């Protein structure tokens, strides 16, 4: 899987890309990530990338020229055509199902918005989809790009040592339940005991209990966050 990040703030990425699971996955050649600065594709002495919206309104918009030319140059760096994704709060909301479909692509080009957003001609010019990581506004798409890279990389074969652990993650089964409570040592902490059944050694009953707990956790979550399933 290859990710190309297109951004005005490339300096935000090295720490994120080199730590933990992603650092190891890159070192093992399981995923490849390249970061490109949009400003390198801007023209003029000021290398302008943004301008005021026609018709008035607050803030500045990313101009189509530098963004589209930058993405076209990035596409030429690798023979696999990348699916272009614009990160913006108005895009399709990300969930695990969408993450799974992204993980089936071989290359994603993630374009990070800044300021008040993208000129509306950028998406059709690049045949791009727009994705949001949630109904709130970030200062830019960089954190959203990191979220997508993290969530998609976990599903690339070999990135998580134990494939079974990814299959058991919240939202991953056919019924998309969140995980119920889990416990480790000690058996009792500040008067709070580990449920007896988990110590019973009866794997069939434990599996049934866990499934019930997951359904209950999913139901409670839906009650306090009505936008979720
Ligand atoms: N840019 C600003 N806010 C965003 C969001 N919620 N998701 C994706 N990109 C964004």
């Amino acid at each position: 899987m290859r990710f190309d990040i297109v951004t005005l703030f490339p300096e935000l990425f090295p720490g994120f890309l080199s730590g933990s699971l992603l650092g190891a996955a890159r070192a093992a050649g399981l995923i490849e990530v390249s970061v490109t600065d949009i400003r390198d594709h801007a023209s003029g002495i000021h290398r302008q990338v943004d301008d005021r919206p026609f018709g008035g309104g607050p803030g500045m918009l990313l101009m189509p020229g530098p963004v589209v030319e930058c993405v076209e140059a990035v596409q030429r760096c690798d023979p696999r055509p990348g699916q272009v994704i614009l990160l913006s709060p108005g895009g399709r909301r990300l969930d695990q199902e969408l993450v799974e479909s992204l993980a089936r692509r071989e290359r994603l080009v993630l374009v990070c918005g800044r300021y008040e957003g993208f000129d509306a001609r950028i998406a059709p010019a690049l045949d791009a989809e727009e994705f949001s990581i949630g109904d709130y506004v970030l200062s830019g798409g960089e954190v959203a790009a990191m979220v997508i890279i993290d969530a998609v990389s976990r599903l690339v074969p070999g990135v998580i040592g134990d494939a079974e652990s990814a299959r058991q993650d919240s939202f991953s089964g056919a019924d998309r339940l969140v995980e119920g409570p889990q416990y480790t040592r000690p058996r009792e902490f500040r008067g709070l005991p580990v449920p007896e059944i988990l110590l019973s050694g009866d794997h069939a009953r434990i599996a049934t209990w866990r499934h019930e707990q997951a359904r209950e956790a999913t139901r409670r979550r839906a009650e306090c966050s009505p936008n979720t399933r």
Side-chain angles (χ1 to χ4, degrees):
M1 164 70 78
R2 174 177 168 127
F3 299 97
D4 288 277
I5 302 162
V6 172
T7 173
L8 284 167
F9 297 93
E11 67 275 16
L12 295 178
F13 289 92
F16 165 71
L17 292 173
S18 45
S20 187
L21 216 62
L22 281 181
R26 287 172 64 217
L30 297 169
I31 64 169
E32 188 186 344
V33 188
S34 166
V35 185
T36 304
D37 191 339
I38 299 170
R39 213 171 283 281
D40 291 345
H41 296 265
S43 51
I45 43 166
H46 297 299
R47 301 192 150 220
Q48 189 180 355
V49 293
D50 59 325
D51 210 336
R52 289 192 298 273
F54 279 121
M60 305 287 269
L61 293 176
L62 282 172
M63 298 160 73
V67 176
V68 170
E69 279 162 35
C70 181
V71 171
E72 286 171 347
V74 162
Q75 289 280 33
R76 289 193 289 272
C77 293
D78 188 283
R80 293 166 285 186
Q83 169 62 51
V84 182
I85 293 168
L86 307 186
L87 282 326
S88 123
R92 174 176 168 190
R93 214 183 312 142
L94 193 72
D95 59 17
Q96 190 67 18
E97 216 170 325
L98 182 50
V99 168
E100 285 166 13
S101 82
L102 294 178
R104 289 193 284 272
R105 315 261 174 99
E106 21 174 38
R107 184 178 178 205
L108 300 174
V109 179
L110 302 165
V111 187
C112 306
R114 276 273 155 175
Y115 315 117
E116 291 302 310
F118 297 98
D119 180 289
R121 294 163 293 184
I122 293 175
L126 292 171
D127 194 18
E129 297 176 77
E130 287 193 53
F131 292 159
S132 160
I133 60 160
D135 293 351
Y136 40 79
V137 180
L138 304 165
S139 319
E142 285 77 10
V143 171
M146 292 180 199
V147 167
I148 291 182
I149 292 170
D150 188 293
V152 169
S153 296
R154 294 171 58 78
L155 302 183
V156 171
V159 169
I160 293 187
D162 180 2
E164 185 55 28
S165 128
R167 271 196 292 279
Q168 286 185 7
D169 274 345
S170 288
F171 315 113
S172 293
D175 40 13
R176 308 242 166 236
L177 301 178
V178 299
E179 271 188 297
Q182 305 251 57
Y183 300 84
T184 182
R185 289 193 293 179
R187 284 180 177 217
E188 187 174 315
F189 177 70
R190 298 196 177 173
L192 301 167
V194 172
E196 205 52 50
I197 186 161
L198 296 177
L199 312 173
S200 69
D202 184 338
H203 297 297
R205 276 184 62 228
I206 291 173
T208 307
W209 182 85
R210 283 194 167 139
H211 192 70
E212 281 163 8
Q213 294 291 315
R215 287 169 55 127
E216 177 58 15
T218 307
R219 192 191 60 70
R220 269 188 270 113
R221 180 171 182 271
E223 252 172 34
C224 64
S225 38
N227 284 338
T228 56
R229 54 182 82 228

